[in-house]
Amino acid sequence: SQTIHQWPATLVQPVGSPLSLECTVEGTSNPNLYWYRQAAGRGLQLLFYSVGIGQISSEVPQNLSASRPQDRQFILSSKKLLLSDSGFYLCAWSRTFEAFFGQGTRLTVV
Amino acid sequence: GNSVTQMEGPVTLSEEAFLTINCTYTATGYPSLFWYVQYPGEGLQLLLKATKADDKGSNKGFEATYRKETTSFHLEKGSVQVSDSAVYFCALRLNDYKLSFGAGTTVTVRA
C-alpha cells in the first residue's frame, strides 16, 4: 500500500531563517506531488505541484520554493522566512483523481 | 477558472442531529468531486467522492450526490456523533493535476 511521510510535525523558526520541509511517498511510482498551505481559520491554498522529477509548477508567487530531486521526494524551502509564512503545510500525492495527504507540518515563524 | 464554494461555518450541532454542508462548484467541463475531512491537528482524509453526474458517494454514514444541473455536491449525515467534529472540505478536480478546495466548514458536535 502507498504511504506518505511528512516531517517535521511541528517547527518554530525565527524570522529570516531558512526552511526545509520534506515529503516522501512510498509504494507508488511517478506520483503527482503537491504542497498546500492552510493558514489559521482558512482554507487550503495550493503552493506548488509537480508531475515529474525536476518539474515544478508554482501557483502563488512568494518567498517559498519547491524541488523534486527524486521521483518520490518533494521538498519545500525558503531562504528567509517571513511572519506571514506561518501556517499548516500539507504534502499530498495523487495518481488518478483523488489525492492523499500527509499529516502536515505546523510552522510558526516568530 | 475552476472554484468551489462551500457553506461558511462554524456549524454547531447536538448529537444525533442532521447535518448538511452545502457545496457548489464552477468548472469548465465535468469535474470529479470530493469531500475531505480534517480532524484536529491532522492532515486531510478522503471521505467520499463522485466522478460523474448523479453518482452518490457515501462513507461512514455521510452521503453526497453529484448534481450537474445545480452544480452542487452537498454533504449530508442523518445522525451525527461527537466524533464527527472536524473541518470538512469540498473539492473538485478536472483532467489536470490540480485539486481545488473550498474554504472548509468547521463542524462541532456536542454531546
Side-chain angles (χ1 to χ4, degrees), chain A residues 2 4 91-96 98-102, chain B residues 36 44 46:
Chain A
Q2 301 87 6
I4 179 169
C91 181
W93 74 272
S94 73
R95 285 296 302 276
T96 53
E98 59 195 77
F100 300 90
F101 285 80
Chain B
Y36 282 83
L44 274 68
L46 179 66

Side-chain angles (χ1 to χ4, degrees), chain B residues 3 7 33 77 89 96 100 108:
Chain B
S3 65
M7 189 173 97
L33 300 173
K77 185 172 185 180
F89 292 92
D96 58 12
S100 298
T108 303

Side-chain angles (χ1 to χ4, degrees), chain A residues 20-102:
Chain A
S20 180
L21 302 182
E22 189 163 344
C23 172
T24 59
V25 180
E26 296 177 357
T28 188
S29 60
N30 196 30
N32 299 322
L33 297 172
Y34 309 83
W35 279 110
Y36 285 87
R37 178 169 60 198
Q38 184 178 23
R42 302 180 66 180
L44 289 166
Q45 179 185 38
L46 178 62
L47 301 176
F48 301 95
Y49 67 95
S50 171
V51 301
I53 295 174
Q55 300 179 59
I56 308 295
S57 295
S58 174
E59 289 294 297
V60 182
Q62 56 210 322
N63 71 322
L64 299 172
S65 63
S67 62
R68 184 171 178 173
Q70 300 180 42
D71 181 45
R72 291 170 291 174
Q73 184 185 28
F74 205 25
I75 299 172
L76 182 70
S77 303
S78 174
K79 293 182 179 178
K80 290 185 178 181
L81 284 169
L82 306 173
L83 286 174
S84 57
D85 291 324
S86 294
F88 193 50
Y89 289 81
L90 289 158
C91 181
W93 74 272
S94 73
R95 285 296 302 276
T96 53
F97 286 102
E98 59 195 77
F100 300 90
F101 285 80

